[in-house]
């Protein structure tokens, strides 16, 4: 399974102010979308999230988002290695994702940009 990169997940109170900071920091414009009541801004390697405290509490449990070419391939490899599937695969605004718990207890989101 190829890992293309990782995105750092940051829960913020003020998405607009935080996005402006990270846009200046990275020199890239934010890609914004909303999912499940949570407002999101993807800026460079940062995924900024703002929303209801209960939703953010769940999101804080995911250590990072790992980009892969194909979530189905990641699912196969991860389950063969003993990871537990917590959610997905499901469609996202840019592709699909999957949330798993590794055997060491760490929780990660795996995401691709392949629409299905």
């Amino acid at each position: 399974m190829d890992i293309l990169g990782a995105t750092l997940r940051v829960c913020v109170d003020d998405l607009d102010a935080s996005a402006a900071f990270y846009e200046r920091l990275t020199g890239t414009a934010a890609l914004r979308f909303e999912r499940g009541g949570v407002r999101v801004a993807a800026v460079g390697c940062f995924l900024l999230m703002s929303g209801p405290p209960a939703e953010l509490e769940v999101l804080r449990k995911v250590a990072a988002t790992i980009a892969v070419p194909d979530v189905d391939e990641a699912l196969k490899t991860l389950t063969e290695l003993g990871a537990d599937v917590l959610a997905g695969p499901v469609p996202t605004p840019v592709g699909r994702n999957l949330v798993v718990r590794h055997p060491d207890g760490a929780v990660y989101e795996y995401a691709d940009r392949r629409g299905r």
Side-chain angles (χ1 to χ4, degrees):
M1 172 178 74
D2 289 334
I3 294 178
L4 304 175
T7 301
L8 306 170
R9 300 165 65 94
V10 184
C11 294
V12 300
D13 292 327
D14 184 339
L15 187 66
D16 294 329
S18 294
F21 169 83
Y22 284 96
E23 285 176 326
R24 289 191 305 270
L25 178 68
T26 65
T28 60
L31 169 65
R32 294 174 183 252
F33 57 93
E34 187 171 324
R35 183 157 184 215
V38 175
R39 294 176 50 224
V40 179
V43 189
C45 67
F46 300 96
L47 189 64
L48 311 175
M49 300 172 287
S50 182
E55 293 293 327
L56 293 181
E57 187 59 33
V58 172
L59 295 172
R60 283 188 175 98
K61 294 177 182 177
V62 179
T65 298
I66 299 170
V68 295
D70 185 351
V71 163
D72 293 327
E73 177 187 338
L75 173 62
K76 182 178 184 294
T77 300
L78 289 160
T79 55
E80 287 174 357
L81 294 172
D84 295 320
V85 176
L86 302 178
V90 296
T92 72
V94 295
R96 295 172 306 135
N97 77 348
L98 166 73
V99 178
V100 301
R101 181 183 304 110
H102 288 187
D104 62 8
V107 177
Y108 295 97
E109 173 189 37
Y110 286 82
D112 66 24
R113 292 188 174 248
R114 298 172 53 148
R116 293 269 168 149

